[in-house]
Amino acid sequence: FFGYNESFRDEAGLADFKKELADFITHTLSQKYNGSSEPRLVLFSPIAHEDLGTPNLSDGKDNNRRLELYTAAMKEVADAQRIPFIDLFHATRDLYPKIDQPLTINGIHLNELGNRYLATLVDSTLFGPAPAGNIDEGYLEQVREAVKEKSFFWFN
């Protein structure tokens, strides 16, 4: 997950960002963290900024302009390096108007519903459609509770 913080450098930072990202990929893939093989690597773009329609928060237009630039740069680097890339920017930008509830708490950080949608998107993109039946909802709820606890500590 790259690109959000870097996007504040705007167009002037694109060349450095692409080089830094390519260097990160090269370095990461040269490692054998498990002692025997290179890691699998997938790049994820940042999500789009959601306009929550409140005067207390940015509408995200400037942010989204920059994020789209950096998403395109990430795709370019990922393609050149033959690394899987998941474009969360366009997926979330297209999803926001289709959902009748906010998916973020402040335009940029996902809420519980947003995390649920994003997790489904990431899972289906990486692994294909979920198999019908045989889903252990109890186990999934245990995982969700563990993630919520981790998030609580991270945000605090």
Side-chain angles (χ1 to χ4, degrees):
F1 291 87
F2 289 93
Y4 183 84
N5 291 334
E6 295 86 353
S7 75
F8 288 98
R9 296 187 292 184
D10 212 335
E11 290 182 38
L14 277 172
D16 285 343
F17 173 69
K18 288 194 260 188
K19 182 184 180 325
E20 290 165 5
L21 186 58
D23 290 348
F24 166 79
I25 292 168
T26 300
H27 172 78
T28 301
L29 294 180
S30 73
Q31 305 303 303
K32 292 192 165 101
Y33 297 110
N34 66 1
S36 62
S37 62
E38 71 181 27
R40 293 175 61 196
L41 184 62
V42 178
L43 294 180
F44 296 84
S45 78
I47 64 170
H49 188 126
E50 180 181 30
D51 181 2
L52 295 174
T54 174
N56 299 319
L57 297 169
S58 166
D59 64 12
K61 287 180 182 159
D62 288 338
N63 219 5
N64 281 335
R65 179 192 56 77
R66 290 187 306 270
L67 290 169
E68 192 161 29
L69 287 173
Y70 278 73
T71 296
M74 289 182 73
K75 180 171 180 8
E76 181 182 320
V77 171
D79 288 349
Q81 299 273 345
R82 294 189 206 140
I83 297 296
F85 172 69
I86 297 181
D87 180 350
L88 300 176
F89 174 79
H90 290 99
T92 53
R93 185 194 65 186
D94 296 345
L95 179 63
Y96 293 146
K98 296 176 185 173
I99 307 299
D100 62 355
Q101 298 175 56
L103 297 180
T104 63
I105 59 174
N106 58 4
I108 60 171
H109 294 100
L110 294 169
N111 61 24
E112 188 172 333
L113 183 63
N115 278 314
R116 184 176 293 271
Y117 274 98
L118 197 70
T120 301
L121 171 71
V122 168
D123 182 65
S124 64
T125 303
L126 288 175
F127 306 111
N134 297 332
I135 295 175
D136 183 348
E137 294 293 336
Y139 176 74
L140 290 179
E141 184 58 28
Q142 287 177 333
V143 171
R144 188 175 82 75
E145 288 300 321
V147 169
K148 284 174 51 179
E149 183 176 3
K150 180 225 40 110
S151 292
F152 171 80
F153 286 106
W154 186 87
F155 276 108
N156 290 294

